Amino acid sequence: QQGMTVAPVVANLGPLEALKLTPNPEEVEEVFTLPLAHLLREENQGYTHFRTASGYGYTLPVFLNGPHKVWGLTAIITELTLELLVPGRY
């Protein structure tokens, strides 16, 4: 949707077992976690290539081998976050 603003937030929430998350079921199907070490392994990183009807193509990051494939806007935000958190390793 055009005109939408997304504001990613990175925070230390403490032990995940202590959290009681209640996401909006219309927006979030499932909540899961991936360790930073998992995201930094090359075998878990990839890219998805897209083409449009006009022939224009673009490439987006994707993170693999977890409970789900992380792609789309979530993967873009994850990639940008890794670049900030561990420069030179990602």
Side-chain angles (χ1 to χ4, degrees):
Q1 178 181 1
Q2 283 187 317
M4 182 184 295
T5 300
V6 175
V9 175
V10 177
N12 182 347
L13 301 175
L16 296 176
E17 299 78 19
L19 295 178
K20 180 169 174 28
L21 301 174
T22 53
N24 181 338
E26 293 180 17
E27 295 182 10
V28 178
E29 185 174 331
E30 186 174 350
V31 175
F32 63 94
T33 62
L34 291 172
L36 187 59
H38 176 93
L39 296 170
L40 291 174
R41 282 190 219 116
E42 282 190 39
E43 65 267 21
N44 298 331
Q45 302 167 4
Y47 290 91
T48 303
H49 305 284
F50 294 92
R51 266 181 237 245
T52 63
S54 66
Y56 171 76
Y58 57 98
T59 302
L60 296 177
V62 63
F63 294 90
L64 310 163
N65 302 319
H68 302 286
K69 191 182 300 182
V70 178
W71 62 283
L73 184 57
T74 303
I76 293 168
I77 292 168
T78 301
E79 180 178 67
L80 293 170
T81 302
L82 290 174
E83 289 173 358
L84 292 171
L85 288 177
V86 283
R89 287 230 19 228
Y90 181 80

